[in-house]
Amino acid sequence: MVENRKFGWIECICGSMFSGKSEELLRRIKRGVIAKQKVLLFKPTIDNRYDENRVSTHNGNTYESISIEKSADILNYVKDKKYDIIGIDEIQFFDNEIVKIINNLADNGVRVIVAGLDMDFKAEPFHPMPEIMAISEMVTKLHAVCNKCGNEASRSQRLIDGKPAKYNDPIVVIGASESYEARCRHCHEIER
């Protein structure tokens, strides 16, 4: 029998746009609420597609959240309080300091659940997600359905006026179905 069992770990939910990452994050958060655990959910201020103070899914599911500019802002909310679960949506939009912060939270007994894109629109690693995936105890990679062929989609296709974005376009452009499609490896296009 283990008497000094420690709690705290990191769960990473990743995948392309429209794969259900935020939906899965909210599902896990709501299970924590049902279990009467103390929960706090964050999202980056830059993601204001649906609601400024709620994490929202593409199908309309929502949960109250705190919008923050930079990862260090999390520390202002948790310094004097004890939370069982900290959730972070769209974690790829935070600075690299987020890796240290979530690691510290987990070391101090918090179940940290994060969700974000693992690849940018060019199908290249979207930092700091590779680092977060490496330190996570659990990684769940979700897939969408390819808008062109119907296969498993692992990539986010950015479209500008209906055409693939160019390789040198900015990495971060906030949008939903008006700017992005889910695509498989073979249907994903990038204009070079």
Side-chain angles (χ1 to χ4, degrees):
M1 184 169 134
V2 178
E3 292 184 28
N4 292 330
R5 182 172 291 176
K6 300 221 180 206
F7 293 93
W9 60 83
I10 301 169
E11 301 171 27
C12 178
I13 305 161
C14 63
S16 68
M17 290 190 67
F18 313 109
S19 63
K21 298 177 306 300
S22 297
E23 192 73 38
E24 178 60 18
L25 170 63
L26 295 186
R27 187 188 73 78
R28 294 181 192 188
I29 291 289
K30 288 176 180 178
R31 286 177 57 87
V33 171
I34 291 167
K36 299 190 181 352
Q37 294 176 320
K38 195 164 182 187
V39 172
L40 192 58
L41 182 59
F42 294 97
K43 69 181 239 176
T45 304
I46 191 172
D47 182 18
N48 57 6
R49 289 174 291 177
Y50 300 112
D51 192 317
E52 207 171 293
N53 296 309
R54 298 184 81 72
V55 167
S56 300
T57 66
H58 295 296
N59 68 7
N61 195 2
T62 67
Y63 193 85
E64 187 177 324
S65 65
I66 299 168
S67 292
I68 55 174
E69 289 283 329
K70 58 188 183 305
S71 59
D73 294 342
I74 292 171
L75 302 176
N76 296 330
Y77 290 93
V78 300
K79 64 181 173 188
D80 297 330
K81 298 182 180 83
K82 174 72 175 127
Y83 289 94
D84 301 301
I85 300 173
I86 301 270
I88 306 169
D89 196 31
E90 303 293 354
I91 198 164
Q92 77 279 355
F93 292 139
F94 287 109
D95 53 272
N96 289 334
E97 184 74 11
I98 193 71
V99 177
K100 181 179 166 189
I101 290 169
I102 64 173
N103 218 10
N104 187 292
L105 289 168
D107 287 346
N108 287 299
V110 177
R111 176 183 174 199
V112 180
I113 311 170
V114 304
L117 296 168
D118 55 344
M119 290 189 280
D120 61 25
F121 79 97
K122 298 186 268 189
E124 294 177 349
F126 204 146
H127 293 277
M129 280 302 279
E131 294 82 2
I132 293 167
M133 292 165 71
I135 65 167
S136 296
E137 277 77 11
M138 291 165 254
V139 176
T140 304
K141 180 152 180 163
L142 301 176
H143 296 85
V145 176
C146 180
N147 281 67
K148 283 191 116 176
C149 72
N151 282 331
E152 291 284 304
S154 60
R155 293 150 201 247
S156 302
Q157 177 73 59
R158 183 183 301 156
L159 299 170
I160 300 170
D161 297 324
K163 296 185 175 127
K166 292 179 175 62
Y167 186 84
N168 291 325
D169 284 344
I171 296 294
V172 177
V173 174
I174 304 299
S177 59
E178 79 286 349
S179 304
Y180 291 92
E181 287 183 349
R183 298 273 181 97
C184 70
R185 170 184 297 276
H186 306 288
C187 294
H188 181 262
E189 303 170 72
I190 199 79
E191 190 174 314
R192 293 188 185 263

